[in-house]
């Protein structure tokens, strides 16, 4: 009798456990599906933001182009009744606004480049940062564009271009904090190339020339890491 009772009890316990396991598994699968859907929606939102950014950039470039052509258009067709549309447009888009538009385009491009960089698409991010440097050389985003361009070259294992970009930063932005960080990258490249003495010189130069705490502390840590 006791053996029959034990067998029945074991069977009931097994059924309860199987039912519990099935419920847990169903709930877990539901959570997994929710997480996948959340990831999909997040990526879709990022893609939409990038598309909107590209559309905005194209519109702003068009307005800038119109502003640049406006003086010659006014000279040719600005007189009389027929020139009224040109004069009206000129009153809306001034040279000052054209400069504001250029700044907005540069910012839009820079954000797009950073998106590519964060996604580790260094080929595209490098293209964007080069465009900023070439077309918007007076933009406040240029120093960071050079820095991220150097990092992009490093991640692509294009050490020659990385070094050339860092050297240009030293020439053009010698006091910029990002130049200090770029020089630390140069020192590590020298370490990779077994050029220890040159790496030491770079780190010491950074410590002397860039008193900013984060830059100097990284240079000191890199210097301590060398087996002198």
């Amino acid at each position: 009798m006791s053996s029959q009772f034990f067998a029945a009890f074991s069977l009931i316990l097994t059924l309860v456990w199987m039912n519990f396991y099935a419920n847990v598994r169903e709930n877990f699968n539901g959570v997994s599906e929710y997480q996948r859907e959340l990831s999909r929606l997040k990526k879709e939102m990022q893609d939409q933001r990038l598309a909107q950014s590209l559309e905005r950039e194209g519109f702003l470039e068009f307005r800038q182009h119109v502003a640049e052509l406006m003086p010659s258009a006014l000279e040719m067709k600005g007189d009389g009744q027929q020139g009224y549309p040109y004069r009206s447009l000129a009153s809306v888009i001034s040279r000052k606004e054209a400069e504001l538009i250029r700044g907005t385009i540069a910012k839009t491009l820079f954000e797009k480049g950073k998106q590519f960089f964060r996604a580790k698409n260094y080929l595209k991010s490098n293209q964007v940062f080069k465009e900023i440097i070439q077309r918007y050389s007076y933009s406040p985003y240029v120093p960071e564009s050079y820095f991220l361009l150097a990092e992009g070259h490093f991640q692509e294992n294009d050490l020659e271009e990385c070094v050339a970009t860092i050297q240009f930063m030293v020439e053009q932005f010698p006091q910029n904090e990002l130049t200090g960080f770029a020089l630390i990258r140069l020192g590590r490249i020298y370490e990779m190339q077994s050029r220890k003495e040159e790496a030491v010189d770079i780190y010491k130069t950074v410590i002397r020339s860039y008193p900013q705490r984060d830059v100097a502390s990284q240079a000191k840590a890199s210097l301590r890491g060398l087996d002198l």
Side-chain angles (χ1 to χ4, degrees):
M1 182 71 178
S2 61
S3 62
Q4 291 178 347
F5 175 78
F6 179 75
F9 177 76
S10 298
L11 179 60
I12 293 171
L13 186 63
T14 300
L15 289 173
V16 170
W17 171 252
M18 290 177 65
N19 184 57
F20 172 75
Y21 175 77
N23 288 332
V24 169
R25 184 175 180 182
E26 182 179 353
N27 290 333
F28 180 78
N29 287 340
V31 170
S32 298
E33 290 175 5
Y34 172 76
Q35 289 176 335
R36 285 195 296 269
E37 179 65 12
L38 189 62
S39 297
R40 185 188 69 78
L41 290 173
K42 185 177 180 181
K43 185 178 185 305
E44 185 177 311
M45 184 178 294
Q46 290 175 340
D47 291 342
Q48 288 176 352
R49 285 177 178 173
L50 182 57
Q52 290 172 355
S53 174
L54 292 172
E55 289 176 2
R56 183 166 181 256
E57 176 194 339
F59 173 70
L60 289 171
E61 285 186 335
F62 169 75
R63 290 190 67 186
Q64 179 192 339
H65 185 60
V66 170
E68 290 171 350
L69 291 176
M70 190 52 60
S72 58
L74 284 174
E75 185 176 346
M76 294 173 57
K77 302 181 179 181
D79 296 331
Q81 186 67 28
Q82 290 183 344
Y84 175 75
Y86 296 94
R87 295 195 301 274
S88 297
L89 188 58
S91 67
V92 175
I93 302 179
S94 63
R95 283 186 177 274
K96 183 178 180 180
E97 187 182 18
E99 288 304 313
L100 292 174
I101 292 171
R102 282 177 61 84
T104 305
I105 295 173
K107 181 179 179 180
T108 303
L109 278 173
F110 183 68
E111 292 300 326
K112 182 173 69 171
K114 287 202 297 185
Q115 285 183 13
F116 286 135
F117 187 88
R118 285 192 292 263
K120 299 183 179 180
N121 190 339
Y122 301 114
L123 182 62
K124 286 190 175 181
S125 68
N126 287 352
Q127 291 173 347
V128 173
F129 294 134
K130 285 179 181 177
E131 184 177 356
I132 293 172
I133 291 166
Q134 292 168 0
R135 295 177 57 191
Y136 306 98
S137 57
Y138 295 101
S139 164
Y141 306 104
V142 168
E144 192 169 355
S145 293
Y146 269 112
F147 176 75
L148 293 174
L149 177 61
E151 283 296 300
H153 285 313
F154 179 81
Q155 297 297 332
E156 289 283 292
N157 202 33
D158 190 351
L159 300 185
E160 185 176 348
E161 284 297 323
C162 179
V163 170
T165 304
I166 293 170
Q167 290 174 341
F168 190 86
M169 283 189 72
V170 174
E171 294 172 4
Q172 298 296 318
F173 314 104
Q175 303 301 320
N176 195 294
E177 182 178 2
L178 288 173
T179 302
F181 284 116
L183 282 170
I184 293 172
R185 172 62 74 199
L186 180 60
R188 289 174 183 166
I189 291 174
Y190 286 160
E191 286 188 57
M192 292 165 56
Q193 297 173 339
S194 300
R195 299 161 65 180
K196 187 181 296 186
E197 292 183 359
E198 291 173 87
V200 169
D201 289 340
I202 288 291
Y203 297 141
K204 288 182 177 179
T205 298
V206 171
I207 293 169
R208 285 196 309 269
S209 304
Y210 299 90
Q212 297 93 336
R213 184 177 64 181
D214 291 341
V215 183
S217 62
Q218 281 198 28
K220 289 175 183 177
S222 298
L223 193 58
R224 286 195 300 269
L226 287 173
D227 184 16
L228 300 178

